[in-house]
Amino acid sequence: MKHILIGLLICVNYSQILAQSNKRPNIIFIMSDDHAYQAISAYDQRLISTPNIDRIAKKGILFTNASVTNSICAPSRATILTGKHSHLNGKVDNHFKFDTTNITFPQILQANGYQTAMFGKLHFGNSPKGFDQFKILPDQGNYYNPDFITKNEGNIKVNGYVTDIITDMTLDWLKQERTPEKPFLLMYLHKAPHRSWLMAERHLDEMTQKTYPEPKTLFDDYSGRTSPAKEAEMNILTSMSWAGDNKIYPATMDSLKIPEIGFDKRRFAAEMGRLNPSQKANFDRVYDRINAEFIKAYPSMTEQDKMRWKFQRYMQDYLGTLRSVDENVGRLLDYLEANNLMENTIIVYTSDQGFYLGEHGWFDKRFIYDESFKTPLMVSWPSQIKAGQKSDALVQNLDFAQTFLDAADIPAPKDMQGQSLIPLMTGKSWKRDAVYYHYYEYPAEHMVNRHYAIVTKKYKLIHYYFSTDAWELIDREKDPLELKNVYNYPVYASIRKTLHKQLDALRLKYKDNSTISNGYIDRFLNDAVEGKV
Ligand code: SGN
Ligand code: CA
């Protein structure tokens, strides 16, 4: 009798466990805006410690070769949601609205019984489809006292700091709106650390007094590559603005006769104009000190000193915004842990692309050189993915849609172009030899020429077109800093030939037959001329 009872108990427990493990997982997609992997301690400890973000990697898998298909905000988000390259989903650049006739994975999850919510930055120019709840920033959004477009409350303004607010909204939804019987998809999307890098008041004193190591290529002169690297307008010395970015007062600029870079003074005034009196007093206190020190130092500064000074101010502010991202990710993880929501939840931490933190003398992104082409990616799912893994597989933001549908056991539409990462993360076979990249936003801010490329673990073959017609071949193993174009070196002749063939095949596979100009861009430009957009 006793044995039968124990047997029954085991059976009940076993079937409960089975039911639990067969339950479709929750999905929490955490994405920051412009978060460089160099600024996550799970990847690199030189700049900042991010203990909370690192918790996700420790519990799951850290990808060291994750990349985007087009290194810019809205196109990356469109690729994530549609599982398609930019030329097929139509969101080739930041300028035009997302085409909402695209089918996105949240729509599919919602139609299959998932509860769905999105909080933070989307940057599509329209509201997302497929969400039971959303509160999104209009366009780029603001760091202080931001406005939100909401699904149920119209447009609202919330006092406080954007990273804290987006997290409050996310936690409130989990606590008050979640239906426990349903699996959920939660997209938790930070504005930070996007330009113009305003940190939370609580980090100002500490973060504006630190000094950071310079990257090896801070003084890159762009020789050794074709013309686009030199022509881009994202050099810290020549394109980062004194007031708008480095928070030198317009009056200080006037007194030192420093010319404006871009809409320097106007951008500074717009940011400061959003602060309430107590926020402003905190910023003034810190900026007064920075300006007083700068006024003393500036007259004897060489051009190199100016570059160094700007780099330090850039790092202080950029990394300052990440302190609160890390704290707030910690708040979310603490809540999930305390409420037994970790085991069967897929948690992703990523960015819409990487970012240059002084490498090649740059800030911003767009180029295919590693720091902006690659993006941070870590995934935990304790019930299915072994903890503490590292993978150098060539995964992309293109893969998320199919990964999430696969995890929920829903067949993906045939025209999605990625590959589920579930087999890879659970130790089964997974293969990809090369990825495809295509950047379009030119002519535009930062002036990064259009280019497409094939990237393997060993090489990058890049075609810059539109304002120039130039090929680059980068040997990733021999030249990790990506300073030398070896396209015309005779020893690379056969590698070049093979890569050309592979690139042609990839363009065919992904159906990208745009050559000199892009069909979608031209269509949109024509529409714009005719007043249709
Ligand atoms: C703004 C920034 C740019 C940045 C784009 C795109 N300028 O225009 O530096 O490249 O956003 O960023 S700013 O003067 O307005 O700060 S993205 O992340 O949305 O693609
Ligand atoms: Ca971005």
PDB file of all heavy atoms in Angstrom, residues 64-83:
ATOM      1  N   THR A  64      29.386  35.988 -28.225  1.00  0.00           N
ATOM      2  CA  THR A  64      30.492  36.921 -28.455  1.00  0.00           C
ATOM      3  C   THR A  64      30.574  37.387 -29.912  1.00  0.00           C
ATOM      4  O   THR A  64      31.404  38.213 -30.251  1.00  0.00           O
ATOM      5  CB  THR A  64      31.833  36.255 -28.077  1.00  0.00           C
ATOM      6  OG1 THR A  64      31.947  35.038 -28.818  1.00  0.00           O
ATOM      7  CG2 THR A  64      31.897  35.963 -26.599  1.00  0.00           C
ATOM      8  N   ASN A  65      29.709  36.822 -30.751  1.00  0.00           N
ATOM      9  CA  ASN A  65      29.748  37.189 -32.170  1.00  0.00           C
ATOM     10  C   ASN A  65      28.357  37.554 -32.681  1.00  0.00           C
ATOM     11  O   ASN A  65      28.062  37.349 -33.860  1.00  0.00           O
ATOM     12  CB  ASN A  65      30.256  35.996 -32.977  1.00  0.00           C
ATOM     13  CG  ASN A  65      31.589  36.301 -33.617  1.00  0.00           C
ATOM     14  OD1 ASN A  65      31.872  37.455 -33.934  1.00  0.00           O
ATOM     15  ND2 ASN A  65      32.393  35.273 -33.812  1.00  0.00           N
ATOM     16  N   ALA A  66      27.506  38.067 -31.797  1.00  0.00           N
ATOM     17  CA  ALA A  66      26.154  38.459 -32.231  1.00  0.00           C
ATOM     18  C   ALA A  66      26.262  39.767 -33.004  1.00  0.00           C
ATOM     19  O   ALA A  66      27.038  40.650 -32.643  1.00  0.00           O
ATOM     20  CB  ALA A  66      25.241  38.639 -31.033  1.00  0.00           C
ATOM     21  N   SER A  67      25.467  39.882 -34.069  1.00  0.00           N
ATOM     22  CA  SER A  67      25.561  41.099 -34.878  1.00  0.00           C
ATOM     23  C   SER A  67      24.178  41.537 -35.346  1.00  0.00           C
ATOM     24  O   SER A  67      23.188  40.829 -35.148  1.00  0.00           O
ATOM     25  CB  SER A  67      26.449  40.847 -36.100  1.00  0.00           C
ATOM     26  OG  SER A  67      25.883  39.844 -36.917  1.00  0.00           O
ATOM     27  N   VAL A  68      24.141  42.711 -35.963  1.00  0.00           N
ATOM     28  CA  VAL A  68      22.889  43.207 -36.543  1.00  0.00           C
ATOM     29  C   VAL A  68      23.002  43.194 -38.066  1.00  0.00           C
ATOM     30  O   VAL A  68      24.110  43.159 -38.613  1.00  0.00           O
ATOM     31  CB  VAL A  68      22.552  44.631 -36.037  1.00  0.00           C
ATOM     32  CG1 VAL A  68      22.263  44.607 -34.545  1.00  0.00           C
ATOM     33  CG2 VAL A  68      23.664  45.622 -36.346  1.00  0.00           C
ATOM     34  N   THR A  69      21.860  43.279 -38.735  1.00  0.00           N
ATOM     35  CA  THR A  69      21.875  43.247 -40.201  1.00  0.00           C
ATOM     36  C   THR A  69      22.026  44.651 -40.793  1.00  0.00           C
ATOM     37  O   THR A  69      22.325  44.793 -41.971  1.00  0.00           O
ATOM     38  CB  THR A  69      20.560  42.653 -40.743  1.00  0.00           C
ATOM     39  OG1 THR A  69      19.484  43.488 -40.292  1.00  0.00           O
ATOM     40  CG2 THR A  69      20.345  41.238 -40.256  1.00  0.00           C
ATOM     41  N   ASN A  70      21.792  45.686 -39.965  1.00  0.00           N
ATOM     42  CA  ASN A  70      21.807  47.077 -40.433  1.00  0.00           C
ATOM     43  C   ASN A  70      21.918  47.902 -39.160  1.00  0.00           C
ATOM     44  O   ASN A  70      20.960  47.974 -38.382  1.00  0.00           O
ATOM     45  CB  ASN A  70      20.491  47.340 -41.187  1.00  0.00           C
ATOM     46  CG  ASN A  70      20.358  48.752 -41.734  1.00  0.00           C
ATOM     47  OD1 ASN A  70      21.249  49.593 -41.579  1.00  0.00           O
ATOM     48  ND2 ASN A  70      19.227  49.013 -42.377  1.00  0.00           N
ATOM     49  N   SER A  71      23.107  48.491 -38.933  1.00  0.00           N
ATOM     50  CA  SER A  71      23.402  49.031 -37.600  1.00  0.00           C
ATOM     51  C   SER A  71      22.797  50.410 -37.364  1.00  0.00           C
ATOM     52  O   SER A  71      23.503  51.417 -37.319  1.00  0.00           O
ATOM     53  CB  SER A  71      24.923  49.076 -37.409  1.00  0.00           C
ATOM     54  OG  SER A  71      25.215  49.547 -36.130  1.00  0.00           O
ATOM     55  N   ILE A  72      21.510  50.424 -37.197  1.00  0.00           N
ATOM     56  CA  ILE A  72      20.819  51.665 -36.855  1.00  0.00           C
ATOM     57  C   ILE A  72      19.468  51.316 -36.251  1.00  0.00           C
ATOM     58  O   ILE A  72      18.909  50.247 -36.526  1.00  0.00           O
ATOM     59  CB  ILE A  72      20.741  52.607 -38.072  1.00  0.00           C
ATOM     60  CG1 ILE A  72      20.156  53.949 -37.671  1.00  0.00           C
ATOM     61  CG2 ILE A  72      19.989  51.984 -39.230  1.00  0.00           C
ATOM     62  CD1 ILE A  72      20.671  55.101 -38.463  1.00  0.00           C
ATOM     63  N   CYS A  73      18.980  52.249 -35.449  1.00  0.00           N
ATOM     64  CA  CYS A  73      17.894  51.956 -34.512  1.00  0.00           C
ATOM     65  C   CYS A  73      16.637  51.300 -35.087  1.00  0.00           C
ATOM     66  O   CYS A  73      16.374  50.115 -34.873  1.00  0.00           O
ATOM     67  CB  CYS A  73      17.525  53.274 -33.850  1.00  0.00           C
ATOM     68  SG  CYS A  73      16.313  53.122 -32.577  1.00  0.00           S
ATOM     69  N   ALA A  74      15.820  52.089 -35.786  1.00  0.00           N
ATOM     70  CA  ALA A  74      14.516  51.574 -36.210  1.00  0.00           C
ATOM     71  C   ALA A  74      14.645  50.380 -37.160  1.00  0.00           C
ATOM     72  O   ALA A  74      13.894  49.409 -37.035  1.00  0.00           O
ATOM     73  CB  ALA A  74      13.679  52.694 -36.823  1.00  0.00           C
ATOM     74  N   PRO A  75      15.594  50.405 -38.109  1.00  0.00           N
ATOM     75  CA  PRO A  75      15.770  49.215 -38.941  1.00  0.00           C
ATOM     76  C   PRO A  75      16.105  47.970 -38.130  1.00  0.00           C
ATOM     77  O   PRO A  75      15.606  46.875 -38.428  1.00  0.00           O
ATOM     78  CB  PRO A  75      16.932  49.605 -39.860  1.00  0.00           C
ATOM     79  CG  PRO A  75      16.801  51.078 -39.991  1.00  0.00           C
ATOM     80  CD  PRO A  75      16.367  51.555 -38.633  1.00  0.00           C
ATOM     81  N   SER A  76      16.911  48.110 -37.097  1.00  0.00           N
ATOM     82  CA  SER A  76      17.238  46.939 -36.279  1.00  0.00           C
ATOM     83  C   SER A  76      15.972  46.424 -35.593  1.00  0.00           C
ATOM     84  O   SER A  76      15.717  45.210 -35.554  1.00  0.00           O
ATOM     85  CB  SER A  76      18.295  47.319 -35.238  1.00  0.00           C
ATOM     86  OG  SER A  76      18.395  46.300 -34.278  1.00  0.00           O
ATOM     87  N   ARG A  77      15.166  47.342 -35.076  1.00  0.00           N
ATOM     88  CA  ARG A  77      13.934  46.929 -34.388  1.00  0.00           C
ATOM     89  C   ARG A  77      12.971  46.249 -35.365  1.00  0.00           C
ATOM     90  O   ARG A  77      12.277  45.287 -35.019  1.00  0.00           O
ATOM     91  CB  ARG A  77      13.277  48.150 -33.733  1.00  0.00           C
ATOM     92  CG  ARG A  77      14.097  48.638 -32.542  1.00  0.00           C
ATOM     93  CD  ARG A  77      13.919  50.107 -32.228  1.00  0.00           C
ATOM     94  NE  ARG A  77      15.078  50.555 -31.467  1.00  0.00           N
ATOM     95  CZ  ARG A  77      15.145  50.638 -30.146  1.00  0.00           C
ATOM     96  NH1 ARG A  77      14.089  50.361 -29.425  1.00  0.00           N
ATOM     97  NH2 ARG A  77      16.251  51.032 -29.541  1.00  0.00           N
ATOM     98  N   ALA A  78      12.919  46.771 -36.594  1.00  0.00           N
ATOM     99  CA  ALA A  78      12.032  46.169 -37.597  1.00  0.00           C
ATOM    100  C   ALA A  78      12.499  44.755 -37.946  1.00  0.00           C
ATOM    101  O   ALA A  78      11.689  43.837 -38.104  1.00  0.00           O
ATOM    102  CB  ALA A  78      11.995  47.043 -38.848  1.00  0.00           C
ATOM    103  N   THR A  79      13.802  44.569 -38.038  1.00  0.00           N
ATOM    104  CA  THR A  79      14.340  43.233 -38.324  1.00  0.00           C
ATOM    105  C   THR A  79      14.027  42.282 -37.166  1.00  0.00           C
ATOM    106  O   THR A  79      13.638  41.128 -37.379  1.00  0.00           O
ATOM    107  CB  THR A  79      15.860  43.328 -38.590  1.00  0.00           C
ATOM    108  OG1 THR A  79      16.035  44.003 -39.828  1.00  0.00           O
ATOM    109  CG2 THR A  79      16.517  41.963 -38.663  1.00  0.00           C
ATOM    110  N   ILE A  80      14.166  42.779 -35.956  1.00  0.00           N
ATOM    111  CA  ILE A  80      13.868  41.943 -34.783  1.00  0.00           C
ATOM    112  C   ILE A  80      12.399  41.492 -34.822  1.00  0.00           C
ATOM    113  O   ILE A  80      12.087  40.325 -34.626  1.00  0.00           O
ATOM    114  CB  ILE A  80      14.168  42.730 -33.480  1.00  0.00           C
ATOM    115  CG1 ILE A  80      15.682  42.889 -33.315  1.00  0.00           C
ATOM    116  CG2 ILE A  80      13.543  42.036 -32.263  1.00  0.00           C
ATOM    117  CD1 ILE A  80      16.103  43.871 -32.237  1.00  0.00           C
ATOM    118  N   LEU A  81      11.502  42.418 -35.082  1.00  0.00           N
ATOM    119  CA  LEU A  81      10.075  42.090 -35.004  1.00  0.00           C
ATOM    120  C   LEU A  81       9.596  41.253 -36.192  1.00  0.00           C
ATOM    121  O   LEU A  81       8.691  40.427 -36.046  1.00  0.00           O
ATOM    122  CB  LEU A  81       9.235  43.368 -34.906  1.00  0.00           C
ATOM    123  CG  LEU A  81       9.387  44.147 -33.588  1.00  0.00           C
ATOM    124  CD1 LEU A  81       8.574  45.432 -33.626  1.00  0.00           C
ATOM    125  CD2 LEU A  81       8.956  43.316 -32.386  1.00  0.00           C
ATOM    126  N   THR A  82      10.184  41.471 -37.368  1.00  0.00           N
ATOM    127  CA  THR A  82       9.691  40.765 -38.559  1.00  0.00           C
ATOM    128  C   THR A  82      10.491  39.521 -38.912  1.00  0.00           C
ATOM    129  O   THR A  82      10.020  38.688 -39.700  1.00  0.00           O
ATOM    130  CB  THR A  82       9.727  41.679 -39.805  1.00  0.00           C
ATOM    131  OG1 THR A  82      11.103  42.052 -40.053  1.00  0.00           O
ATOM    132  CG2 THR A  82       8.892  42.929 -39.621  1.00  0.00           C
ATOM    133  N   GLY A  83      11.729  39.426 -38.408  1.00  0.00           N
ATOM    134  CA  GLY A  83      12.589  38.318 -38.824  1.00  0.00           C
ATOM    135  C   GLY A  83      12.990  38.425 -40.279  1.00  0.00           C
ATOM    136  O   GLY A  83      13.273  37.420 -40.936  1.00  0.00           O
TER     137      GLY A  83
END
